[in-house]
Amino acid sequence: MIKSISIFLIFAAILLLMASPGPSSGRSDETQILAVVQKMESAFKTVVNYSCEVEVVYYQNGIEDQYYQFKFYFKRDKKIRVDFSQPYPGLSIFYNEGDKEATVKPFRFLPAVKFRFSIDSPMIKTLAGQKIDQTDMGYFIDFLSRNLKMVKQKEEEEFHEDEEQIKFLFLAMDYIKEKSLEKYRIFVSKKNWLPIRIERYNLEGQLIEVSILQNYTINTHLEDKYFLP
């Protein structure tokens, strides 16, 4: 009787081990993130132009500090236009790839008034320090791809997926100068494989910046003249 019970317990233990996922089962979060970034890269190759509405909140010591709202337009080869709603209603910035300067039109109702600034000028950098040629989704996807090769992702970092979106926490060198390690929580739409929300944190988990991107319009008829100031 005791012998039969022992055999049963051993058999049950074997079944339990077979049913339980071991440490090597499934894909790591790093592999899942790589698969998402590859889908983003593939999808963006088909994008001739896009526009989206953007809200950006900057934080100081973890507390909301400044708020920006604008519409962003992009066309290959890196033609960029930004139309601000807040805090500079009526201001537009124009940039074409390879140029060392961007054009700023402060008033849409006075189209003849325009100024040229170096893309390195603090006058047209974002509050976080991004230059105008670092603001399109192609640049951001390249940023993700580069950092997946450079920065080892922690096994415990989060990765969640549902029918509409994927959310993951991503370790990367800072977006501006790539000198210090930061955390990024990124929400990607499965409809177009573009980011819809980007949260930036320091390593201690303190919020630095949140970008919300919505109402994407992709591959519409955006003529080159629309990007001329």
Side-chain angles (χ1 to χ4, degrees), residues 12 14 29 49 53 55 79 92 102 106 129 133 135 154-155 164 173 175-176 186 190 193 195 198 203-204 226:
I14 292 172
D29 286 352
N49 61 68
E53 297 170 5
E55 297 177 67
K79 295 179 175 64
S92 296
D133 61 346
T135 54
K154 294 183 179 179
E155 291 182 4
E164 296 183 353
M173 303 306 289
Y175 188 74
I176 312 304
I186 301 165
K190 293 171 75 173
W193 294 101
I198 303 167
L203 275 186
E204 290 70 41
Y226 192 73

Side-chain angles (χ1 to χ4, degrees), residues 24-40:
S24 62
S25 67
R27 294 189 301 170
S28 68
D29 286 352
E30 187 170 9
T31 304
Q32 289 177 302
I33 293 171
L34 175 61
V36 173
V37 173
Q38 288 174 339
K39 286 183 179 180
M40 294 169 73

Side-chain angles (χ1 to χ4, degrees), residues 146-161:
R146 287 197 311 274
N147 277 276
L148 271 177
K149 298 171 185 174
M150 294 189 303
V151 180
K152 178 68 176 176
Q153 303 299 307
K154 294 183 179 179
E155 291 182 4
E156 67 271 18
E157 300 295 15
E158 66 186 53
F159 184 98
H160 299 290
E161 179 176 4

Side-chain angles (χ1 to χ4, degrees), residues 78 80 129-136 139-140 175-176:
K78 202 184 279 275
I80 292 172
Q130 285 172 263
K131 298 190 294 185
I132 187 69
D133 61 346
Q134 297 174 321
T135 54
D136 64 277
Y139 185 92
F140 183 74
Y175 188 74
I176 312 304

Side-chain angles (χ1 to χ4, degrees), residues 20-80:
S20 301
S24 62
S25 67
R27 294 189 301 170
S28 68
D29 286 352
E30 187 170 9
T31 304
Q32 289 177 302
I33 293 171
L34 175 61
V36 173
V37 173
Q38 288 174 339
K39 286 183 179 180
M40 294 169 73
E41 289 177 319
S42 178
F44 196 74
K45 287 177 182 178
T46 69
V47 175
V48 177
N49 61 68
Y50 77 88
S51 66
C52 61
E53 297 170 5
V54 185
E55 297 177 67
V56 183
V57 183
Y58 295 99
Y59 293 78
Q60 189 73 27
N61 298 320
I63 300 172
E64 185 174 330
D65 182 50
Q66 295 196 42
Y67 172 81
Y68 289 76
Q69 186 177 26
F70 53 88
K71 189 159 186 179
F72 188 93
Y73 302 86
F74 171 90
K75 184 175 183 178
R76 299 195 188 273
D77 301 291
K78 202 184 279 275
K79 295 179 175 64
I80 292 172

